[in-house]
Amino acid sequence: MSQSNPIIALAGNPNVGKSTLFNHLTGLKQHTGNWAGVTVACTFGNFTYKNQVYTLVDLPGTYSLDARSEEETLARDFILSGHADCLVLVCDATCLVRGLYFLKQLQTLSQELPLFLCINLCDEAKKKGISIDFSLLQQRLQLPILGTEAHSKRSTTQLKQSLARCLHEHAFPASPPTDWEPDLLAQQCIQYHNPHYRKREEKLDRLLTAPLSGSLFLFLLLLLVFWITISGANYPSALLWKLLHGLESPLYAFLELLHAPLWLKDMLIFGMYRVLSWVVSVMFPPMAIFFPLFTLLEDFGFLPRIAFHLDSTFKKCHACGKQCLTMAMGFGCNAVGVTGCRIIDSPRERLIAILTNALVPCNGRFPTLLLLISLFFMGNPSLSLRHPLMASFQSALCLSLLVLLGVAMTLLSSLILSKTILKGLPSSFTLELPPYRRPQFSQILIRSLLDRTLFVLGRAAVVAAPAGLILWLAANLHISDRSLLSFVTDTLQPLGQLMGLDGCILTAFLLGFPANEIVLPIVLMLYLQNGQLAELSSTEQIFSIFQANGWTTETILCMTVFSLFHWPCSTTCLSIKKETKSLKWTLFAFFLPTFIGCSLCILIHLGFRFLHFLLL
């Protein structure tokens, strides 16, 4: 970052559109969302105006300089550091008085702080019948002020011009007045032409946050999201696998033209490429559906209401209601959920949220769980529904129940941790319910597909290719006519049988540590003993292979439970290490879901043995 570039910092309350302005000014793709706590770190970018480069800093949202959380501390420290040549205070035009309180605190702190007041979301204020007298406001505050609409290119251009002019002409007052009161000033400068503009939102809030109706709506919404994801992803996933698998022969022929040795061709194509193809074909279609739906709910303003609804439940577990938001992030990717725990103020509660985040299934585990659900119904034909839409609904219902099991285990684990090694009382927190907003579908597609889907897919591909290499080597390197994999499977066989599984399944989970998506293909490879990742042509073929290797209803149930509760993937473990800065807590986060999964599987196995004994 060049020291000659003027530095402009964007500060303000959470959820006022700072990151949206930052993206429009810099052309970057900083994540935005209709809920507080989206930005958890300082983000840097540049924009150019009249051949002058300006450095822009997007600070995490904060209501005051009395920092309580890590991200608020980052914002406070940067503001107080004096590095910024200009501090742009972004306020929400629909609730300006809250931003004015922060402005008052900033002015009290330092009369020499160069301040620029950006009143954002003016378009929303206009729709709600709120008008602001900008001239009177500027006269009273004696600060440069501009009203903006975050998604408007015209507003972005005006903001660039105003900031450049103020910095170039040094148009910041030396000593702006401080003898003003935010409430009184708001009464003089703001007019409400429709005092009942929130009546419809309040009715909807009462429905969504009530104990009974809120819980029912939450479950039905979860069911709908999974049903749409399952119904829409099956065919594209099979088509993508067929396309990628069809490229194996041309790639193999190309390596033959290069006179590559046989072992290298097999290692690259049947090892690295085939694992990579499986991960892409299995992950991409459901993510391309799930993430836009998740972003749609985020833009609409539903996620904070989920946190509000579950706050009392988490408080009973001596945890924080914000943990619900980080748990929801974990549905997409546990590593993202771990990073998102920065929004939790209390270090104790933040650690609880980090340690328990992997107890909810991430997007990488959904395909495995869905296949296991299908296998369960194939093994119990009397329970299966034959119509495709009803079958997908049945699978979505089972997946929703599994997710609720993960949520219940998250709450139970949080309670146990808060009563034992992480004792403490639940802290209070300020949760802002944002307004309901009409989602911007073009932005949803860009953010969900580029910022989330392709990002997570790329990260999975980075670890999947080396995992394929290691897998191929372990399957094809032999000692005394036995592969290295066979030694591992034989060693794990007793523990696997105690858990209602076998050594091959446990070996597959170990080798699937970099990417959960390759667990089932590894199981098939071990059963077929062909030294290559197995091709999955149909669910029926998979079921017949599993049956031939001793799978029963008990095996499928134990496999499902262990898929839901086992160690986090490598990316999530690295994120935990980064956030906690502790190897001890990283290992604890690794073994906590593993212990839960092993214990539940052993109980299921003993239950089946006891039932079998009673039926004899």
Side-chain angles (χ1 to χ4, degrees), residues 197-209:
Y197 70 92
R198 289 206 74 251
K199 191 173 182 179
R200 185 187 303 174
E201 290 187 359
E202 289 172 353
K203 288 182 178 179
L204 190 55
D205 276 343
R206 282 195 292 269
L207 176 67
L208 296 181
T209 58

Side-chain angles (χ1 to χ4, degrees), residues 250-293:
L251 289 173
Y252 201 89
F254 175 73
L255 291 176
E256 286 183 335
L257 289 176
L258 298 178
H259 303 290
L262 179 63
W263 64 268
L264 181 61
K265 290 183 292 187
D266 287 352
M267 182 176 66
L268 293 178
I269 302 301
F270 302 131
M272 297 180 68
Y273 178 77
R274 184 168 287 180
V275 170
L276 184 61
S277 299
W278 170 254
V279 170
V280 171
S281 61
V282 169
M283 284 189 68
F284 182 71
M287 280 197 304
I289 299 173
F290 177 81
F291 278 138
L293 291 175

Side-chain angles (χ1 to χ4, degrees), residues 125-199:
K126 183 178 179 181
K127 291 177 183 178
K128 295 176 179 179
I130 302 173
S131 60
I132 300 172
D133 190 335
F134 288 95
S135 299
L136 179 59
L137 190 63
Q138 188 162 4
Q139 177 186 344
R140 296 293 174 86
L141 295 177
Q142 295 185 20
L143 291 175
I145 298 176
L146 180 68
T148 60
E149 301 173 5
H151 294 282
S152 169
K153 186 177 180 180
R154 180 170 172 268
S155 288
T156 305
T157 303
Q158 288 178 339
L159 184 57
K160 286 183 179 180
Q161 293 173 345
S162 300
L163 289 172
R165 184 174 62 254
C166 288
L167 287 167
H168 179 70
E169 299 176 359
H170 302 286
F172 301 103
S175 56
T178 58
D179 56 342
W180 54 273
E181 294 298 327
D183 291 314
L184 181 61
L185 187 56
Q187 291 176 10
Q188 295 173 341
C189 299
I190 304 174
Q191 287 186 338
Y192 297 90
H193 303 288
N194 180 17
H196 303 292
Y197 70 92
R198 289 206 74 251
K199 191 173 182 179

Side-chain angles (χ1 to χ4, degrees), residues 377-429:
F377 287 115
M378 290 181 67
N380 299 271
S382 60
L383 301 177
S384 182
L385 300 177
R386 299 195 177 274
H387 193 279
L389 287 179
M390 291 304 297
S392 62
F393 176 81
Q394 188 179 50
S395 297
L397 178 61
C398 292
L399 184 58
S400 299
L401 293 174
L402 288 174
V403 168
L404 290 182
L405 176 60
V407 173
M409 195 57 66
T410 300
L411 292 168
L412 178 61
S413 300
S414 299
L415 177 61
I416 294 174
L417 289 173
S418 64
K419 293 287 188 179
T420 53
I421 60 175
L422 292 173
K423 289 183 180 180
L425 295 175
S427 63
S428 60
F429 73 99

Side-chain angles (χ1 to χ4, degrees), residues 35 101 103 127 175 226 300 351 433 480 502 542 553 575 611:
W35 54 282
Y101 272 106
L103 174 64
K127 291 177 183 178
S175 56
F226 286 142
F300 183 68
L351 183 57
L433 292 183
S480 301
D502 59 35
I542 296 171
T553 299
S575 299
L611 182 62

Side-chain angles (χ1 to χ4, degrees), residues 355 358-360 365 369 402 405-406 409-410 412-413 495-501 505-506 509 554-568 588-606:
L355 297 178
L359 293 177
V360 294
R365 281 182 273 173
L369 291 172
L402 288 174
L405 176 60
M409 195 57 66
T410 300
L412 178 61
S413 300
L495 177 60
Q497 290 179 335
L498 179 62
M499 295 171 57
L501 305 171
I505 296 174
L506 291 185
F509 273 106
E554 176 193 344
T555 313
I556 296 173
L557 285 176
C558 291
M559 177 74 171
T560 302
V561 169
F562 200 65
S563 297
L564 185 63
F565 302 118
H566 68 278
W567 49 81
F588 188 90
F590 181 93
F591 286 109
L592 175 64
T594 307
F595 173 77
I596 293 173
C598 291
S599 301
L600 291 177
C601 286
I602 291 173
L603 289 176
I604 293 173
H605 173 66
L606 294 177

